[in-house]
């Protein structure tokens, strides 16, 4: 898993955001930056070259799933 997340691209980030948007999970309020609910976030992921690993690092402090990814599911 670690190799996959470290090799991710900004396009991978956009695709994960799109998948989350399709799933419409609850509890995604309160992201301070690059919120899945913010329509501008996907554009920023590409223009700012933000990989999925970087997204997960940003969210790791408030999202348990992202924290698991960043810490290689320890």
């Amino acid at each position: 898993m670690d190799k996959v997340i470290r090799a991710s691209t900004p396009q991978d980030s956009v695709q994960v955001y799109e998948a989350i948007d399709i799933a419409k999970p609850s509890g995604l309020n309160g992201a301070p930056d690059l919120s899945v609910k913010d329509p501008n976030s996907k554009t920023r992921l590409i223009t700012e070259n933000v990989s999925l690993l970087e997204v997960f690092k940003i969210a790791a402090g408030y999202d348990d799933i992202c924290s698991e990814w960043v810490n290689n599911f320890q």
Side-chain angles (χ1 to χ4, degrees):
M1 293 269 191
D2 190 48
K3 289 180 184 179
V4 171
I5 194 70
R6 293 191 185 284
S8 69
T9 67
Q11 188 59 40
D12 295 325
S13 300
V14 169
Q15 290 174 341
V16 168
Y17 272 49
E18 290 172 350
I20 292 169
D21 190 43
I22 290 168
K24 304 223 183 298
S26 62
L28 293 179
N29 295 327
D33 194 23
L34 293 172
S35 171
V36 171
K37 291 188 170 193
D38 181 354
N40 295 317
S41 289
K42 288 188 276 187
T43 301
R44 286 186 55 210
L45 293 171
I46 298 296
T47 59
E48 296 175 21
N49 198 36
V50 182
S51 71
L52 196 52
L53 177 60
E54 292 304 314
V55 169
F56 288 167
K57 283 180 179 179
I58 291 166
Y62 57 86
D63 184 286
D64 292 339
I65 294 171
C66 291
S67 178
E68 289 295 329
W69 276 99
V70 168
N71 294 299
N72 202 25
F73 294 91
Q74 294 176 358

